[in-house]
Amino acid sequence: MKQLLLDLSAKQAPDFATFVVGRNAEASHLLKQIGLNLSRSSSKTSADDRFVYLWGEAGSGKSHLLQALALAWAEAGVEARNSRYIDAAAPSAAFDYDPAIHLYLIDDCAQLSATAQIDAFNLFNQIREQGGYLVSAGDTAPAQLKVREDLRTRLGWGLIYQIHTLSDEEKIEALTQAAAARGMILSPGLLPYLITHFRRDMQSLSAILNALDHYSLETQRPVTLPLLRSLLQMEIQERTL
């Protein structure tokens, strides 16, 4: 049981392969291209194209895309120090410009402190003047961000993409395909039940599908609603301990 709960809480690698595209094909394609440009040390990109802002509600996949881009850059054989992921809780030093870093990723822009907003503004200007890419993300479009005006203006200079949350139908389709790839035979109604009785982001849904597969194999039971309910109950009990 303990191992199953560990499986349930395990996170999938935030790469492009595990990102369910849905209506976000253009943004996903652009970020992949940025990864390719970086790995090829390309400088044939306009200034505005080097700045990308992603926005969307919680669970839409913004952080996943930022981390997938960082991972793609690392897997291209480039030293990890040449990209930097910065979240809202990062220290001020994380915003220091370094010419050896070609990719900066700023997450949760709406949560940046007053000091971090100044740091982010200065970093933006240095990247624009001296080179590099900046991909940032927030929960609203730049014009609605509750940050200082000069930073809000800068974040709106480049390419802006809304990251759309998957519909229930898209989630069910993605999970059905993932289950089929595993050779899992799901009982009718299992996936609709899952997305209405569990956390709704795809990372959590994919994690429980993985755990359900292991649970089925360990208990030698088919993947049915009773098995899913049993696993969900285990997860609830674990969270309340």
Side-chain angles (χ1 to χ4, degrees):
M1 180 180 293
K2 182 178 180 180
Q3 184 59 48
L4 287 169
L5 293 174
L6 289 173
D7 289 339
L8 181 55
S9 63
K11 293 183 177 181
Q12 288 184 305
D15 58 19
F16 287 118
T18 57
F19 179 73
V20 181
V21 174
R23 292 170 287 166
N24 303 305
E26 186 176 350
S28 178
H29 177 74
L30 172 72
L31 295 182
K32 290 179 182 178
Q33 290 302 115
I34 288 176
L36 288 174
N37 287 341
L38 285 166
S39 64
R40 295 170 181 169
S41 301
S42 171
S43 59
K44 307 293 186 180
T45 309
S46 70
D48 288 344
D49 289 351
R50 293 189 290 108
F51 296 92
V52 182
Y53 180 82
L54 311 176
W55 68 276
E57 63 184 63
S60 59
K62 305 182 300 296
S63 296
H64 187 124
L65 283 171
L66 292 186
Q67 294 172 40
L69 179 52
L71 183 62
W73 177 224
E75 289 180 342
V78 184
E79 293 182 14
R81 67 185 179 88
N82 287 323
S83 66
R84 182 183 294 167
Y85 176 86
I86 307 169
D87 63 22
S92 185
F95 294 89
D96 290 346
Y97 180 80
D98 183 342
I101 295 175
H102 304 129
L103 170 65
Y104 294 84
L105 305 152
I106 303 180
D107 208 351
D108 294 326
C109 287
Q111 305 303 318
L112 293 173
S113 67
T115 299
Q117 290 176 37
I118 296 173
D119 294 334
F121 171 76
N122 291 332
L123 175 61
F124 185 104
N125 290 334
Q126 289 176 297
I127 293 172
R128 194 167 192 268
E129 293 170 3
Q130 301 184 51
Y133 284 76
L134 173 63
V135 183
S136 49
D139 56 3
T140 66
Q144 282 75 51
L145 270 177
K146 295 180 179 179
V147 296
R148 52 186 291 150
E149 179 63 26
D150 52 8
L151 177 60
R152 180 164 52 243
T153 300
R154 294 296 190 276
L155 293 174
W157 273 3
L159 301 175
I160 301 171
Y161 290 93
Q162 180 179 4
I163 304 303
H164 300 276
T165 304
L166 296 177
S167 67
D168 287 351
E169 292 75 15
E170 289 171 327
K171 291 176 183 177
I172 289 174
E173 180 181 358
L175 292 169
T176 299
Q177 292 175 357
R182 290 173 170 272
M184 297 173 66
I185 300 175
L186 307 180
S187 67
L190 185 146
L191 291 177
Y193 180 91
L194 174 59
I195 65 173
T196 55
H197 290 80
F198 191 62
R199 296 186 292 275
R200 299 177 61 83
D201 63 283
M202 278 303 299
Q203 183 165 291
S204 296
L205 291 168
S206 297
I208 199 168
L209 187 68
N210 179 59
L212 190 60
D213 187 22
H214 287 290
Y215 193 26
S216 171
L217 293 172
E218 184 172 301
T219 59
Q220 295 297 298
R221 295 169 59 187
V223 184
T224 60
L225 271 175
L227 189 73
L228 174 61
R229 291 193 186 102
S230 174
L231 184 60
L232 292 178
Q233 186 59 40
M234 289 165 55
E235 197 267 345
I236 291 171
Q237 291 173 351
E238 176 69 12
R239 285 192 284 118
T240 56
L241 291 179

